[in-house]
Amino acid sequence: MTIGVQSNDINEHFNKLFSSILLEQQKFDHIKPADESKKEVLNEKLKEYESLKGRGFFYPFMATGRGHGPFVELLDGSVKFDLINAIGVNLLGHSHPIYIKANLEAATSDTMMCGNLLSYQEPYELSKVLLNAVKKSRLKHFWFSCSGSFSNDTALKILWQKKAPNYRLIAFQKSFAGRSIAMQDVTYNQAYREGMPKSIQVDHVPHYNYKNSENAIQETIAALDKLIETNGNTYCALTIELIQGEAGFIYGTKEYYKAIFEWAKKHGIYIWVDEVQSFTRTTEMFAYQMFDLDEYVDVVTIGKVLQAAGTFYTEELNPKAGLIAGTFNGSIASLNAGKATVRYLKEGNFYGEKGRIKELETKFKAKFKALSEGSCKGKIPYYGGIGTMLSFEVGDGSVDVTNKFMKKLFENGIISFSAGKEPTRVRFLLPLPLLDSHIDEIFSIVEKTVLETIN
Ligand SMILES: Cc1ncc(COP(=O)(O)O)c(C=O)c1O
């Protein structure tokens, strides 16, 4: 594909620039403590930014724009393992050749952003790659948005129009769907909508009960039946995260999802899977593919790792003209990166039982097992997750202990984030470029930090 201007001179400079940037970034290949002389720079900028934003940050973090693979440099000169990746965005790690190239290619184009009115080649190319990746399902169309929340709003509008006036929505307890006015009602955590009026009708049912897995299907189906009993069949759709991210990675089994989806189909209720966080991060490109649910999905939303966001839907759900629009598809650099990322992941050895993602999951779980049965016995009561989405509990799993642990872990060189409430878990959204030597180092830091936090 020709992107923007090209000439021998540009190509020569492009190649030189690409390798010079990569060579410089590759120097960030190990963790390092802060530089005494730079600590003040970070503190001052953060303080000023906090006053501009009107609120403090959880970590004293501001990036320099330098980093490579799992490593990121901060303004205080420290280099850390980034195991949260902007809450799941940077699956390929820092300064991946795909990211550098996508930015340089975008610089040869004449504008910054692509939109819906006058199209460019980038959204067209990315749509083809994405729809090719879902071809075993009935999903036929893809609509770009600029955030996961907005791709969910688009999903809801499409479903509402199709099922009008049946506007009620089924969601799951502990779910997270984003920050838009509609999605704050789909999100289970009430603290995220304090003082807000209720704007849409959502009913939450229990997700997979891993503590009583034998009865999990019955528990959810009974709650679903109860909804119909109470409200009649006034539902347009059921929305679900197959791997509940903000809940600390709660997920069910293939049989569980099939039973729920069969129930929905029986009642003429559409199935909308929110893969904003799980897209590309499990042992198949989509979590619904990993659970073999291709035949059921009517709408799927994605974001984060794509470096853009959007909504897949079936032919029958294609909305009437006028319902969905908007200025932006995304930036040219983002759409370039999205296309290259999906191709790279599809063509490389990342998915399936023998793929790199499963291998990373297995290695991390083995390390957690060794720690929780060895030097940290009784101090890591839970570890789990799937693919590159892993979590663990420290001590009593309270918010206070977990926050204390994560802040110490940050000081010791690893960036993580929390998920869930009662219990609260430490969450890792792993980048792919992790070597065995990195994993060994990560676990010796986790061990040291657990022992420092819990006596
Ligand atoms: C499952 C899920 N849905 C939706 C969103 C919202 O995406 P965004 O923050 O890009 O609006 C998120 C973000 O964390 C998410 O995890």
Side-chain angles (χ1 to χ4, degrees):
M1 179 173 63
T2 309
I3 299 164
V5 286
Q6 278 196 327
S7 68
N8 287 341
D9 192 37
I10 292 172
N11 287 346
E12 211 175 289
H13 281 93
F14 184 108
N15 290 335
K16 268 197 191 142
L17 206 47
F18 172 78
S19 42
S20 303
I21 293 170
L22 188 57
L23 284 172
E24 280 304 311
Q25 294 283 27
Q26 279 173 340
K27 291 179 181 163
F28 298 85
D29 63 354
H30 60 275
I31 62 168
K32 158 171 158 343
D35 231 321
E36 278 311 316
S37 63
K38 293 184 184 161
K39 276 187 174 169
E40 223 19 61
V41 179
L42 173 69
N43 287 342
E44 269 173 29
K45 286 205 178 171
L46 263 186
K47 231 162 116 195
E48 198 182 351
Y49 190 23
E50 285 176 351
S51 83
L52 296 173
K53 262 188 108 148
R55 105 136 64 135
F57 287 96
F58 185 77
Y59 289 126
F61 179 97
M62 197 179 271
T64 57
R66 296 190 285 253
H68 189 65
F71 300 104
V72 60
E73 188 197 46
L74 278 59
L75 275 186
D76 63 3
S78 65
V79 177
K80 300 186 190 294
F81 277 112
D82 180 5
L83 301 191
I84 198 64
N85 288 291
I87 321 203
V89 174
N90 306 314
L91 178 70
L92 305 189
H94 292 261
S95 68
H96 192 281
I98 282 179
Y99 297 161
I100 300 175
K101 204 159 169 256
N103 275 317
L104 289 174
E105 278 176 359
T108 68
S109 196
D110 58 341
T111 58
M112 308 284 294
M113 300 289 286
C114 298
N116 284 312
L117 181 64
L118 304 172
S119 201
Y120 272 60
Q121 296 174 84
E122 287 79 2
Y124 153 68
E125 295 274 344
L126 178 51
S127 299
K128 275 200 298 188
V129 168
L130 284 169
L131 285 160
N132 188 43
V134 298
K135 63 174 187 263
K136 274 171 68 191
S137 71
R138 288 173 295 109
L139 302 167
K140 284 284 170 307
H141 304 289
F142 185 77
W143 190 268
F144 287 100
S145 314
C146 284
S147 73
S149 305
F150 209 90
S151 68
N152 281 343
D153 278 11
T154 300
L156 185 58
K157 282 169 58 171
I158 289 173
L159 291 158
W160 272 350
Q161 188 177 69
K162 186 74 185 174
K163 290 288 298 261
N166 291 321
Y167 297 131
R168 288 192 92 93
L169 181 67
I170 301 172
F172 285 77
Q173 290 168 9
K174 300 202 172 186
S175 63
F176 182 83
R179 300 290 185 167
S180 68
I181 290 172
M183 290 312 121
Q184 69 188 2
D185 281 340
V186 179
T187 295
Y188 189 64
N189 189 343
Q190 301 228 356
Y192 293 172
R193 53 171 183 272
E194 205 186 313
M196 299 287 103
K198 204 163 171 49
S199 54
I200 69 169
Q201 294 173 311
V202 189
D203 298 302
H204 292 90
V205 296
H207 202 285
Y208 184 75
N209 185 350
Y210 61 94
K211 290 186 180 149
N212 184 7
S213 53
E214 276 181 20
N215 294 320
I217 294 179
Q218 268 165 283
E219 220 176 286
T220 304
I221 298 284
L224 290 167
D225 283 337
K226 187 106 199 9
L227 291 185
I228 303 275
E229 225 178 276
T230 313
N231 302 310
N233 195 348
T234 52
Y235 291 90
C236 60
L238 170 154
T239 177
I240 187 166
E241 287 166 273
L242 300 172
I243 321 287
Q244 287 193 307
E246 306 296 305
F249 305 137
I250 292 174
Y251 60 95
T253 59
K254 198 184 279 190
E255 292 66 39
Y256 173 80
Y257 294 123
K258 286 202 171 186
I260 292 173
F261 289 1
E262 285 292 342
W263 179 93
K265 291 283 165 211
K266 196 174 89 192
H267 290 86
I269 292 170
Y270 286 110
I271 294 164
W272 153 22
V273 177
D274 178 341
E275 297 236 23
V276 170
Q277 192 165 146
S278 57
F279 170 62
T280 70
R281 287 198 164 271
T282 66
T283 57
E284 292 299 333
M285 183 162 284
F286 293 81
Y288 83 75
Q289 294 171 339
M290 178 179 67
F291 291 115
D292 205 10
L293 302 167
D294 304 64
E295 68 187 281
Y296 296 99
V297 293
D298 297 298
V299 177
V300 173
T301 47
I302 59 173
K304 299 208 186 231
V305 172
L306 188 66
Q307 314 297 311
T311 312
F312 291 97
Y313 45 91
T314 59
E315 193 78 64
E316 76 166 304
L317 285 170
N318 199 357
K320 292 179 188 152
L323 186 74
I324 53 175
T327 304
F328 295 138
N329 292 146
S331 76
I332 289 182
S334 299
L335 300 174
N336 274 342
K339 182 182 86 176
T341 300
V342 175
R343 278 205 176 145
Y344 169 73
L345 293 173
K346 252 194 124 29
E347 285 163 19
N349 179 29
F350 293 103
Y351 296 113
E353 282 306 297
K354 295 202 169 116
R356 179 65 183 154
I357 290 182
K358 183 71 194 175
E359 196 177 35
L360 278 176
E361 175 192 325
T362 308
K363 281 179 196 270
F364 268 74
K365 284 185 174 168
K367 289 281 192 186
F368 277 124
K369 185 170 192 299
L371 275 194
S372 64
E373 290 174 359
S375 60
C376 298
K377 201 171 168 113
K379 298 180 164 102
I380 302 181
Y382 167 91
Y383 62 89
I386 198 154
T388 56
M389 307 170 84
L390 300 173
S391 66
F392 58 105
E393 287 166 27
V394 178
D396 61 5
S398 63
V399 175
D400 285 352
V401 168
T402 311
N403 285 351
K404 192 169 146 205
F405 171 80
M406 287 189 306
K407 288 191 173 180
K408 265 187 201 294
L409 194 64
F410 182 87
E411 272 168 40
N412 292 339
I414 296 175
I415 312 176
S416 64
F417 198 52
S418 63
K421 226 171 111 188
E422 293 165 2
T424 301
R425 292 177 177 163
V426 181
R427 175 166 42 156
F428 285 162
L429 284 160
L430 301 179
L432 290 175
L434 280 170
L435 308 175
D436 283 355
S437 57
H438 297 147
I439 300 173
D440 289 343
E441 192 179 2
I442 286 165
F443 276 90
S444 67
I445 297 171
V446 169
E447 178 184 33
K448 170 175 147 86
T449 314
V450 170
L451 297 176
E452 278 173 10
T453 313
I454 317 277
N455 303 313

